[in-house]
Amino acid sequence: MLDKKFWEAILELLKKYNNTPHHKDGKILGSMTTTPHPLAVYAYLMFIHTNASDPVIFKEIENMMNEIIYELAKLYRGGESGILTSGGTESNIVAILAAKKVFSNKSNTVIAPDTVHVSVDKACDIIGCKLVKIPTNGNPVDASTLEEYIRKYNPFAIVITAGTTERGLIDPVKDASELANEYNVYLHVDAAYGGLLIPFLHRHGIIREDLRFYDGVSSISVDFHKNGLTPIPSGILLFNNKRCMEKICYNAEYTLYGKYCGLLGTRPGGSVASIWVLLKHYGLDLYEKIALKTYNIATYAYHKLAELEELKVFKPILPIVVFKHKYINYIELLREILNKGYFLYKSPSLEALRIVIMPHVEKSHIDDFVNAIREIMQ
Ligand SMILES: *Cc1c(COP(=O)(O)O)cnc(C)c1O
């Protein structure tokens, strides 16, 4: 046992190191992270000893996982199987790996709009495939351009994004699914950020595009550690059918289960428990509320910033507000904003800065931020 003195000393030391910024202070306005829900944290800790890659020893985790997939299948109207991943990055790598194995007869190429997340570059680097980016000029890709690229490159996979990182754009999921069907190619929808927003905002008539397993969609990835209020790491990769899922499983004779699926070996069962408990307790309503709240605050932030004449502000699609100064370079402006204690990210393709309205962001944070911008510009 630790004696009391030593215990106190070590706690002191931990506290000393815990002067990281916290989301509740309202200064973290760029990162897609947020404060996890206390119930999710509780469940995470309760199952902290479990390994989600061992469904023999920890069959309860597998049961929870099955219930999560069942709930998500209702939301996306499809998705037979899925795995817990470390997040959008692992999901993208694993989806492309599955695609490459299913469509081994095609050219060794993935096509994606140039707004695709950097983890897809990483995936192709690891898997050894060529990534062809479709120039979009910062718009969702249009169906005819996508078709042109499919014909030209005969890819084994198309990756589109439902909620791009820099701007919150939604590529046309339905159009892409029809092309994927017609040309018999794997379609992965990266909805790491938008996955828990789009179905609800669509239902409320706020956005036109919907996100679901249209015929032709092979996989959808969604991060719960973004708008799902669970601790990091918790992503889910859903497959339209079990056959794809089997392609990313590898024999591991020495284990009781006999195989490992996905990129990781051991993976946190606590993450599964944290997603499960929120779904059990609140149902999908929780995410609907978050989608509406963050969207409303994004609209508020858009109007507040647009009042400043020196700024060009892009109308939010999802709860991401992109803005730039008409004369001052965005990197220079970012430096000033960082000096004020705020953390924003960039939208380099628009030479602009980006606020992501995560669940912890309140209107008062936006007011304070706009005041800080005013001070900088004076
Ligand atoms: C956040 C995000 C990722 C990466 O997810 P991680 O959880 O950081 O691995 C990939 N794609 C999109 C669209 C994202 O928003």
Side-chain angles (χ1 to χ4, degrees), residues 256-273:
L256 290 174
Y257 184 49
K259 60 183 179 180
Y260 276 125
C261 301
L263 201 62
L264 307 183
T266 310
R267 62 184 77 221
S271 297
V272 175

Side-chain angles (χ1 to χ4, degrees), residues 230-246:
T230 57
I232 300 166
S234 56
I236 298 277
L237 174 63
L238 291 165
F239 290 105
N240 178 40
N241 68 55
K242 290 205 166 71
R243 198 169 64 97
C244 286
M245 171 89 180
E246 282 156 15

Side-chain angles (χ1 to χ4, degrees), residues 103-110 129-130 152-157:
F103 292 102
S104 50
N105 56 330
K106 302 254 180 178
S107 94
N108 187 27
T109 304
V110 175
C129 48
K130 186 172 146 197
K152 185 164 173 201
Y153 290 97
N154 186 31
F156 69 85

Side-chain angles (χ1 to χ4, degrees), residues 141-159:
V141 70
D142 69 81
S144 60
T145 311
L146 193 55
E147 181 165 19
E148 189 188 307
Y149 274 75
I150 297 172
R151 282 165 174 270
K152 185 164 173 201
Y153 290 97
N154 186 31
F156 69 85
I158 306 167
V159 179

Side-chain angles (χ1 to χ4, degrees), residues 30 61 66 87 120 128 141 160 176 209 226-227 247 250 352 375 377:
I61 297 292
N66 288 337
V120 173
V141 70
I160 60 169
E209 204 59 58
K226 289 178 179 166
N227 287 287
K247 295 284 182 190
Y250 294 80
E375 282 169 23
M377 293 191 320

